[in-house]
Amino acid sequence: VRLIDAWDAPDIPLAARARLAVAAVRACGIVAPPSVPKIELRPRGPLHSLARDRRAVRYHYDAGNDFFALFLDDSMTYSCGVWTRGATTLEEAQEAKLDLVSTKLGLKAGERVLDVGCGWGSFVIHAAKHNGVRALGVTLSGEQADLARRRVEEAGVADRVEIRVADYRELREEPFDAIASIGMVEHVGENRIDEYAARLASLLRPGGRVLNHGIAQLQHGVDNEAGPFSERYVFPDGEPLHLSRIQLALERAGLFVDQVEGFEDDYPKTITQWIANFESRLSDAERIAGVERTRVWRVYLHAARVGFQTGFEAVYQVRARRPT
């Protein structure tokens, strides 16, 4: 109800109304059901296996770099910005978030840093430029990695930053001084969260720090799934876990949690900016990704904002360290 109250849906042309009416009749079983939309994905195989996770993540991000550039800021940061440090624009909020993560990790020049789920490289670029670290960023999307590498080159930090297409479970590296995971834990799932934490812990040197930034579900007594709409059209296999479950996994991995911070009001503000950007470029979105995907994303962005506004979920940063 809140979604409908806050959003003026687009007019539906007469031809489309007729098509929807026919589809509604078919969906009732009177005649054959409507065909499955081309953009729908129903992943198969063991949940959160390497192959299934690759397919699910690529389904989301391979909508295209140009598509995400329609609503993200220039840094292509696809996670919650931080507005409580004085930011007034989306760019400032994302810069504040990257600064905050770097500060919490205590990054120093020459340290080795891993970014799990690096996206288009915003954090590794920031950390290399402002903190002088050497960084490895991993993503499952090849298209995303290609643009991230170009951005690394343009930022002049190619000698200190590597972008790799890989799953965090496949990494066999020397221990890192610090690990950032920003907006990636939502893809891990209940049945892999302990493995995830243990893998990050094994990639940290003694005394190393890890920061997990992600969406956490606030209400107990409901399942972790994002729901059938998101499952089929936006984030297949997405599972926002409870904050307590994420902390438990880190503790089971032998890490000491020493700071937790919530950002209850920051994601609604971030998504509001994304919505404004997206709504102003709908014709470009339809040209890049098609009418159906554009329609899906209009609903998704508005519904996601409502989820944070109503207290269904929130964003938390959890910092932990590997004891010496």
Side-chain angles (χ1 to χ4, degrees):
V1 171
R2 289 196 184 191
L3 171 61
I4 295 171
D5 283 347
W7 180 39
D8 292 326
D11 291 331
I12 302 176
L14 184 60
R17 289 174 185 268
R19 180 176 57 81
L20 289 171
V22 171
V25 172
R26 296 173 70 184
C28 293
I30 299 174
V31 293
S35 59
V36 175
K38 292 180 180 179
I39 65 167
E40 180 176 318
L41 178 67
R42 298 194 185 188
R44 294 182 175 86
L47 183 62
H48 295 300
S49 63
L50 289 169
R52 179 163 168 165
D53 275 355
R54 282 194 182 94
R55 188 180 179 207
V57 170
R58 288 172 182 172
Y59 168 83
H60 181 84
Y61 290 102
D62 288 355
N65 298 328
D66 292 341
F67 180 78
F68 286 93
L70 294 174
F71 61 92
L72 300 181
D73 68 305
D74 288 341
S75 72
M76 293 291 285
T77 304
Y78 186 35
S79 51
C80 175
V82 172
W83 300 83
T84 50
R85 269 68 171 176
T88 59
T89 67
L90 180 60
E91 288 74 17
E92 290 174 354
Q94 296 296 9
E95 182 74 11
K97 188 264 300 298
L98 299 175
D99 265 337
L100 184 61
V101 173
S102 298
T103 300
K104 287 184 176 182
L105 286 173
L107 300 184
K108 300 179 182 64
E111 288 190 321
R112 296 180 65 247
V113 177
L114 171 65
D115 185 4
V116 180
C118 67
W120 291 275
S122 61
F123 177 71
V124 287
I125 292 171
H126 182 277
K129 287 181 66 174
H130 297 281
N131 302 98
V133 305
R134 291 174 292 134
L136 168 64
V138 296
T139 174
L140 290 178
S141 170
E143 185 173 352
Q144 197 175 58
D146 289 340
L147 179 55
R149 293 185 186 111
R150 293 200 299 272
R151 290 167 49 80
V152 166
E153 288 278 357
E154 292 167 0
V157 292
D159 59 328
R160 282 170 281 158
V161 174
E162 177 189 355
I163 303 294
R164 189 183 304 174
V165 178
D167 190 288
Y168 70 96
R169 291 164 283 188
E170 299 173 314
L171 295 178
R172 300 293 183 270
E173 307 291 321
E174 291 296 318
F176 292 88
D177 297 291
I179 298 176
S181 177
I182 306 172
M184 180 271 180
V185 69
E186 301 90 338
H187 297 285
V188 173
E190 168 69 29
N191 68 338
R192 295 286 185 179
I193 190 64
D194 289 312
E195 178 186 1
Y196 163 81
R199 191 76 196 102
L200 297 192
S202 72
L203 288 166
L204 274 180
R205 66 164 179 78
R209 298 84 63 197
V210 60
L211 185 134
N212 188 93
H213 169 119
I215 298 170
Q217 191 176 146
L218 299 181
Q219 301 179 16
H220 282 265
V222 295
D223 61 43
N224 298 319
E225 294 181 357
F229 176 78
S230 181
E231 280 284 309
R232 297 182 190 180
Y233 298 105
V234 187
F235 271 118
D237 296 337
E239 290 185 58
L241 304 178
H242 294 98
L243 175 63
S244 56
R245 184 66 184 92
I246 295 168
Q247 287 186 254
L248 178 61
L250 294 170
E251 291 166 354
R252 283 176 173 172
L255 299 174
F256 292 176
V257 174
D258 58 13
Q259 188 186 69
V260 178
E261 183 175 4
F263 299 88
E264 181 180 3
D265 298 325
D266 293 84
Y267 224 162
K269 290 183 179 179
T270 301
I271 298 176
T272 295
Q273 294 297 312
W274 290 349
I275 289 172
N277 292 343
F278 194 70
E279 294 281 348
S280 69
R281 306 184 69 182
L282 289 177
S283 59
D284 292 329
E286 292 178 353
R287 174 179 52 80
I288 293 168
V291 174
E292 286 187 345
R293 191 179 293 272
T294 299
R295 186 183 304 127
V296 163
W297 273 77
R298 291 189 79 184
V299 176
Y300 162 65
L301 287 172
H302 283 271
R305 180 173 60 180
V306 171
F308 290 101
Q309 290 172 331
T310 57
F312 181 79
E313 54 198 2
V315 170
Y316 287 90
Q317 289 184 353
V318 180
R319 186 183 66 190
R321 59 183 173 85
R322 181 176 173 182
T324 57

